[in-house]
Amino acid sequence: MADLVFAYDAALDRPIPVPDVAPAAVRAILHTAPQEAFAAAVATARETRAAALVLFGSTLDPLRASPAQAAVVRRAIVELAADGCRTIWMVDEAAACTSIARALGEPAGLALVSPVSPLRLDIRGVAVEIACLPPDARGLPAGGRLPPSFASEHASLLPPQHRIVIGWDDSWGGTPSAHALPAPLPAGGALAVTTSFVWGSRRPQPVPPGVHQLPALQARGAREAAAGSCGLLTLTGLAATGNAVGIPTGTGPLPRGDLLGGWREVATHRVAWRGLSITSLAGGDEELAAAVQTALDALVVDPRGPLQVVRVNVDCGASVSRRVRVAELVAETNARLRPPADATAQRLWCHDLGPDPLEPMTVLARGAAAHGAGSESLANSLGAFATALGSIVTVREAADHSTDHREAGWLALELMGST
């Protein structure tokens, strides 16, 4: 059982990029994966008898979507409504509500929620308000403003027993903003009602207590927070931190705000990106291909599970010259790999291999690696530069856990080593 199912960033009008070298069966799976992930979330709402399916993030752009894509969403909304499940669509701006409703033909069971229009509904005897965090409040430090309460503008209504605030970053518009949900308290201090927070993002981010971070229904690549899932919230009783109507007593720390029964996730993805690590310190394409093939053969893949798209990361022992050599051997190594007899049945496809972009640089910082790249003078100069760069990257990673510093460092060294 679940009362609310949350589906972030279905992005039905944004197909997964399909490499030209992919087998036909793999291309077919990649093409249909976003629609199947959305269908999985809809099926989860139906199977758990949820009161509502909450769509947020980039679900369907009415200006980009085809009539067929809009029809898929409309059919899901109508079928859920027939089962007593509403579809709640969160939007950034109130002006978008009209275009979305028109694109879908205004189906019964659809409720559009913007930052200026929270939704009040009764879920199995619990008065719940669902609010959208305004875009200008996202990315602010703790204390960002919450949307206005529905009850505050309708004095005749009692405050809701539980409030759910939903926000997300713009994963498609560049670097996503960090969430502002750890403690978005109003000026008065404590919140008027028990509150839960849901944050959607395609990028890994630290999650503070009390914030449910949800990945997209279907990842579009290996750099995302997770392969893909929907979130389920069950309302089985008010949190012990509040009083009989869910209003926190005192002005102490912000309660978690979860309702007993809590939060869980259900996988929806049909494609999963994964990295496979091997070590190769010497040898040509034949030796490298043998090591890659052995590692691929050792993988255990669920024949009924998602397609595993594998990138083989080669650990080169922090040797710049070996990294350059491995990059040069990619085409010959791929040609030697045994092609899968049936990628669909095996649920596995190796799409790329190369030097590990996340190989630690701590050895470089100690100046203990082999940095040779040809002549002795070049080896010495590159070795000194690699040691200095490794130290810089190590210091920056201690302050910032992003992998960008390490990837940029290896790229710079490989460019120098290949000249």
Side-chain angles (χ1 to χ4, degrees):
M1 290 287 293
D3 295 304
L4 292 171
V5 175
F6 297 84
Y8 167 64
D9 232 21
L12 297 177
D13 51 282
R14 295 178 182 266
I16 298 175
V18 180
D20 294 335
V21 297
V26 170
R27 292 199 299 269
I29 294 174
L30 293 174
H31 178 71
T32 60
Q35 291 78 15
E36 291 188 3
F38 176 73
V42 173
T44 299
R46 180 179 294 110
E47 292 167 1
T48 58
R49 300 180 182 178
L53 171 66
V54 182
L55 307 176
F56 65 110
S58 177
T59 299
L60 188 76
D61 186 339
L63 301 180
R64 292 170 50 101
S66 67
Q69 292 167 339
V72 168
V73 179
R74 174 185 169 82
R75 183 165 56 251
I77 294 172
V78 171
E79 291 176 354
L80 286 174
D83 290 338
C85 178
R86 300 182 67 178
T87 300
I88 302 173
W89 191 313
M90 316 296 292
V91 297
D92 271 330
E93 300 177 353
C97 294
T98 301
S99 58
I100 292 174
R102 287 178 177 174
L104 300 178
E106 301 182 354
L110 174 63
L112 294 161
V113 177
S114 73
V116 297
S117 59
L119 177 67
R120 182 75 173 270
L121 67 161
D122 183 279
I123 300 179
R124 309 194 209 287
V126 178
V128 178
E129 183 179 84
I130 299 178
C132 180
L133 190 71
D136 58 2
R138 301 171 197 168
L140 296 177
R145 66 182 182 85
L146 285 171
S149 171
F150 184 89
S152 68
E153 299 179 1
H154 300 75
S156 61
L157 298 177
L158 293 175
Q161 294 170 283
H162 195 82
R163 194 174 190 210
I164 301 172
V165 180
I166 301 173
W168 63 93
D169 59 33
D170 184 9
S171 299
W172 306 101
T175 303
S177 61
H179 56 68
L181 295 181
L185 297 176
L191 295 170
V193 295
T194 306
T195 305
S196 290
F197 303 98
V198 179
W199 179 262
S201 179
R202 287 183 174 269
R203 307 294 178 87
Q205 294 181 22
V207 180
V211 175
H212 302 300
Q213 181 169 269
L214 191 65
L217 291 178
Q218 172 61 65
R220 294 301 198 273
R223 294 178 177 270
E224 300 202 12
S229 60
C230 61
L232 281 65
L233 183 63
T234 303
L235 315 181
T236 58
L238 291 175
T241 52
N243 58 22
V245 294
I247 302 176
T249 58
T251 58
L254 177 69
R256 281 186 55 87
D258 298 336
L259 295 183
L260 302 180
W263 174 272
R264 63 189 176 98
E265 294 184 16
V266 173
T268 55
H269 60 278
R270 293 298 179 262
V271 179
W273 279 262
R274 62 185 295 181
L276 176 63
S277 297
I278 67 169
T279 300
S280 177
L281 306 180
D285 58 284
E286 186 175 353
E287 292 79 8
L288 182 57
V292 171
Q293 191 67 64
T294 299
L296 291 173
D297 292 341
L299 289 178
V300 178
V301 181
D302 183 355
R304 296 180 299 276
L307 172 70
Q308 305 289 315
V309 180
V310 179
R311 202 270 184 181
V312 179
N313 298 309
V314 182
D315 186 334
C316 301
S319 169
V320 177
S321 59
R322 182 56 182 170
R323 293 179 69 89
V324 173
R325 179 59 176 153
V326 167
E328 295 172 344
L329 295 174
V330 168
E332 293 85 350
T333 302
N334 279 327
R336 288 182 176 274
L337 294 179
R338 183 174 66 250
D342 185 351
T344 305
Q346 295 181 5
R347 313 302 291 173
L348 179 68
W349 178 54
C350 178
H351 80 106
D352 191 19
L353 67 92
D356 187 354
L358 301 183
E359 189 174 344
M361 302 189 78
T362 52
V363 176
L364 294 183
R366 296 195 297 267
H371 310 305
S375 68
E376 182 178 355
S377 61
L378 180 57
N380 292 336
S381 63
L382 182 57
F385 178 75
T387 299
L389 184 59
S391 300
I392 294 173
V393 170
T394 301
V395 170
R396 290 190 175 182
E397 285 185 336
D400 179 7
H401 297 296
S402 171
T403 62
D404 293 343
H405 307 299
R406 189 179 304 183
E407 294 183 59
W410 282 126
L411 179 60
L413 291 174
E414 290 166 16
L415 289 173
M416 291 186 65
S418 62
T419 56

